[in-house]
């Protein structure tokens, strides 16, 4: 009996397939043979074998390819910061314009 049927009766198809690759590799110890029979590349077999050795069956699960950090997030933060600064600039600009207008009014009254 193989490892799958003994310990894990209800794991998904991809994990079972990867585990079969690893079992075949451990039986034959021939990377080329396993890759030809299973239709996978050597780097793929190495990757799954390494993950299996490090984490066991949990290592055979798919890992998200989503990046941990996104450059777009940084841009969004900069845009928000720029909008805040720009909003403050606009209010400052309006205050200066208002004070200049009031000064002009006072100067006109003095004439």
């Amino acid at each position: 009996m193989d490892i799958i049927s003994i310990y894990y009766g209800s794991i998904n198809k991809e994990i079972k397939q990867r585990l079969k690759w690893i079992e075949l590799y451990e039986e034959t110890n021939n990377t080329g043979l396993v890759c030809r029979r299973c239709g996978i590349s050597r780097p793929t077999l190495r990757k799954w074998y390494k993950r299996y050795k490090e984490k066991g069956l949990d290592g055979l699960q798919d890992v998200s390819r989503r990046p941990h950090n996104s450059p777009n997030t940084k841009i969004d933060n900069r845009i928000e910061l720029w909008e805040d600064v720009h909003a403050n600039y606009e209010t400052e600009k309006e205050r200066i314009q208002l004070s200049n207008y009031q000064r002009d009014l006072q100067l006109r009254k003095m004439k």
Side-chain angles (χ1 to χ4, degrees):
M1 272 196 165
D2 60 280
I3 296 172
I4 297 170
S5 58
I6 296 172
Y7 297 108
Y8 308 102
S10 61
I11 56 177
N12 74 22
K13 189 171 86 173
E14 288 91 12
I15 294 175
K16 285 181 183 178
Q17 185 178 31
R18 293 168 188 154
L19 195 52
K20 286 183 181 180
W21 299 341
I22 291 166
E23 287 177 343
L24 184 59
Y25 175 68
E26 287 178 341
E27 287 173 12
T28 63
N29 203 25
N30 187 337
T31 307
L33 175 69
V34 174
C35 293
R36 280 191 305 274
R37 275 194 190 167
C38 300
I40 59 173
S41 67
R42 289 172 189 246
T44 300
L45 180 61
R46 281 189 220 111
K47 174 180 78 171
W48 291 116
Y49 186 71
K50 179 182 174 188
R51 287 186 187 177
Y52 177 74
K53 286 299 179 188
E54 289 174 356
K55 299 179 182 176
L57 195 63
D58 291 337
L60 298 180
Q61 293 182 6
D62 287 325
V63 178
S64 174
R65 294 182 181 183
R66 181 175 175 232
H68 297 291
N69 298 319
S70 173
N72 294 334
T73 305
K74 294 176 185 175
I75 290 172
D76 291 343
N77 292 341
R78 288 181 186 165
I79 289 172
E80 289 174 9
L81 179 62
W82 182 84
E83 287 172 347
D84 291 343
V85 169
H86 187 67
N88 292 337
Y89 171 75
E90 286 297 317
T91 55
E92 182 69 18
K93 183 179 171 183
E94 290 169 1
R95 187 187 64 76
I96 291 170
Q97 287 175 346
L98 182 60
S99 67
N100 288 343
Y101 176 72
Q102 290 171 344
R103 186 193 65 209
D104 290 345
L105 280 179
Q106 287 175 354
L107 289 174
R108 285 183 191 161
K109 287 181 184 178
M110 294 167 104
K111 288 184 182 181

